[in-house]
Amino acid sequence: MNSEIKKIWNLIELQQNSIVELRAFADKKSPVVKHFYCTDFQSLDELRVAFEQAALKLNNDGFNIYTVMNPIKTDLQGRSAKDRDIACRTLLLIDIDRAGATKNPATDDDIKAAKSLAKEIVKYLGDKGWPKPIQVMSGNGWHLYYKLDRLSNDNDTTELIKRVLKQLAKRFNNSEVNIDTVVYNASRITKVPGTIMRKGQEAPDRPFRKAVVYE
């Protein structure tokens, strides 16, 4: 088993009644949505293994793999989770990507620039008392995940996250890399570590990369 994919559980909060949603996308293929209900498994470990195996199989079949990053309400039935289906907010995502066209994979220099900006942001927020985030090289950029204390899924929280992202973008965006300011919605999906991101046309200087947790 790919050990990197197990690090998704550093991000995703699991409880006895949790629902984990897997979404998979690929060019010229219909999207796939799978739900893993904790109540269908004998243990949380069994659910984790089932999710990991499904994610890796779909990734091997050419799909890009995502999951909903905030807890889903227990009454979800058979559809992709929408903002109204999110129970609370447990993560703030700061998504750093290269400026300009992003149709094809990033270069090594693009990744280095995103990582460098992430370092600046972590120091800036750390100086203001924020905890250390979980960092992920997403395949084409850099993600910072800050844990939230189960904030209410309401308009006030959404507006707060919007403001945080906009203020950070205003302060840190540059000609090479930018902070994505539209990743504020409650049902935001995010890449699963340990899976390869296939975006656009691969080239020697623009390879497809596996998303990995940076430690």
Side-chain angles (χ1 to χ4, degrees):
M1 175 67 73
N2 176 334
S3 61
E4 190 67 32
I5 196 171
K6 295 182 180 299
K7 296 176 183 178
I8 186 61
W9 310 116
N10 297 340
L11 296 173
I12 302 302
E13 176 183 294
L14 277 188
Q15 297 181 345
Q16 292 301 323
N17 60 351
S18 292
I19 302 169
V20 183
E21 182 172 300
L22 183 158
R23 295 192 206 173
F25 303 94
D27 289 342
K28 300 179 181 179
K29 295 182 180 181
S30 297
V32 175
V33 179
K34 290 180 177 287
H35 292 108
F36 299 80
Y37 295 81
C38 284
T39 53
D40 290 341
F41 296 89
Q42 293 185 357
S43 68
L44 297 183
D45 282 341
E46 189 177 289
L47 179 148
R48 291 185 184 102
V49 170
F51 177 92
E52 293 162 12
Q53 290 177 342
L56 291 174
K57 182 181 186 305
L58 285 164
N59 195 227
N60 288 337
D61 290 341
F63 287 84
N64 295 319
I65 309 300
Y66 300 82
T67 190
V68 176
M69 68 183 198
N70 288 306
I72 298 171
K73 292 179 181 177
T74 57
D75 60 355
L76 181 78
Q77 293 293 331
R79 65 181 188 280
S80 298
K82 309 299 183 188
D83 288 347
R84 65 180 180 273
D85 299 313
I86 301 303
C88 61
R89 301 287 200 121
T90 57
L91 288 173
L92 165 67
L93 167 61
I94 300 174
D95 181 0
I96 304 165
D97 206 348
R98 63 194 186 278
T102 58
K103 182 179 179 181
N104 292 313
T107 64
D108 287 346
D109 286 343
D110 292 333
I111 299 294
K112 289 177 183 177
K115 180 181 178 181
S116 178
L117 186 62
K119 184 177 180 180
E120 290 182 43
I121 294 168
V122 170
K123 183 180 185 310
Y124 172 76
L125 293 177
D127 289 344
K128 293 183 175 297
W130 288 46
K132 289 185 178 180
I134 297 170
Q135 301 192 44
V136 175
M137 193 285 291
S138 65
N140 284 308
W142 211 265
H143 289 178
L144 302 175
Y145 296 91
Y146 284 90
K147 294 291 183 76
L148 303 176
D149 190 18
R150 297 183 68 84
L151 298 183
S152 298
N153 176 23
D154 56 25
N155 289 336
D156 288 344
T157 299
T158 299
E159 289 303 315
L160 174 61
I161 292 174
K162 278 185 184 180
R163 290 197 301 272
V164 168
L165 295 177
K166 286 181 179 179
Q167 288 300 315
L168 289 173
K170 184 177 179 180
R171 184 179 186 91
F172 289 102
N173 281 3
N174 59 49
S175 60
E176 293 182 290
V177 284
N178 291 169
I179 295 169
D180 190 340
T181 59
V182 300
V183 296
Y184 55 79
N185 61 304
S187 59
R188 172 59 46 179
I189 58 174
T190 194
K191 294 184 186 74
V192 174
T195 63
I196 296 169
M197 180 62 186
R198 301 177 180 90
K199 182 177 184 179
Q201 185 65 45
E202 189 177 26
D205 64 334
R206 294 183 179 274
F208 294 146
R209 298 180 185 83
K210 181 186 293 184
V212 295
V213 176
Y214 176 73
E215 297 176 304

